[in-house]
Amino acid sequence: AFLMPNKTDAKIMDLKNRPAGEVNIEIIPCNAKGQPITEKDAIQIRDPNTELKDKPLSFLIKINETRGINDKFEDIYCQLQMYHDPTIYKTEIVRGTNNPNFKYSKQFTFQATPELIDFIMNKCLYIQIWGEQKHPKPDQINNKISTKEYFDREHANDPNNLIRRTNNNNVI
């Protein structure tokens, strides 16, 4: 809201609120054409509530890269939803690495209402990181038996199976 660029490595938290990596993002004030505001063009904002109210406000959100994501994930992408915008914005899916470089940039322009200024000053922008869990390589032994044989074997080896095959009154 003070029209200052913000670049950060934000923590990625998993569904159990444990650290799961970092995402490098930038929020950069820009003009209506999407060109970043340079130092010489910058206006010092002391009170966004009065100085920006009812004026157009443009900024770029850049999602540069993620690091430290568990290597069990692949086909990773990010998505976000902006203030009062029903659209879900997504990066391209990056395949073949668990530390993707997205190089994603999206410009947003809003009329600076008191609600928008409050959102920018006091709320969080959530960026979701999505990935597909890698599929384990199939067990070579299981590839060489029929489905019926596989289930018969699983059923026979199940310790919770109370009805087991018997051979000479011994449980096999």
Side-chain angles (χ1 to χ4, degrees):
F2 292 95
L3 299 182
M4 296 177 61
N6 183 357
K7 183 175 183 176
T8 189
D9 290 321
K11 289 183 182 178
I12 300 170
M13 305 303 285
D14 70 11
L15 294 175
K16 294 182 180 178
N17 205 30
R18 296 177 301 211
E22 292 185 340
V23 59
N24 179 270
I25 59 172
E26 295 178 70
I27 301 173
I28 304 168
C30 65
N31 62 25
K33 294 180 180 178
Q35 298 164 331
I37 295 174
T38 62
E39 280 190 41
K40 72 174 189 154
D41 297 330
I43 303 167
Q44 186 174 12
I45 303 293
R46 290 190 169 88
D47 182 8
N49 291 309
T50 58
E51 295 176 58
L52 294 178
K53 185 179 175 189
D54 298 324
K55 294 181 180 171
L57 180 62
S58 296
F59 53 92
L60 296 169
I61 293 185
K62 291 185 172 187
I63 302 173
N64 298 317
E65 62 189 11
T66 61
R67 295 290 176 255
I69 294 178
N70 191 312
D71 62 2
K72 70 181 179 181
F73 293 104
E74 60 187 358
D75 300 347
I76 298 170
Y77 67 95
C78 301
Q79 69 181 33
L80 65 100
Q81 193 171 6
M82 186 46 74
Y83 172 83
H84 285 294
D85 184 348
T87 305
I88 296 175
Y89 298 95
K90 296 180 181 181
T91 66
E92 294 292 322
I93 295 173
V94 178
R95 301 184 194 300
T97 180
N98 62 325
N99 291 311
N101 293 316
F102 295 106
K103 298 180 183 155
Y104 175 84
S105 181
K106 175 71 181 152
Q107 178 185 343
F108 295 91
T109 300
F110 294 98
Q111 198 67 19
T113 63
E115 293 82 17
L116 175 68
I117 294 169
D118 178 64
F119 175 81
I120 292 171
M121 299 273 297
N122 301 307
K123 307 291 187 224
C124 294
L125 172 65
Y126 292 97
I127 298 174
Q128 297 177 339
I129 315 299
W130 290 83
E132 185 172 327
Q133 195 164 352
K134 289 181 182 176
H135 303 290
K137 296 199 188 298
D139 184 357
Q140 295 302 317
I141 294 171
N142 290 336
N143 280 344
K144 296 179 182 177
I145 61 174
S146 71
T147 303
K148 181 180 181 332
E149 291 170 326
Y150 174 81
F151 282 113
D152 286 347
R153 186 182 70 202
E154 290 297 310
H155 184 69
N157 292 332
D158 184 357
N160 296 320
N161 182 7
L162 299 178
I163 303 172
R164 293 182 165 196
R165 296 177 295 162
T166 59
N167 182 5
N168 299 332
N169 295 329
N170 294 322
V171 176
I172 313 179

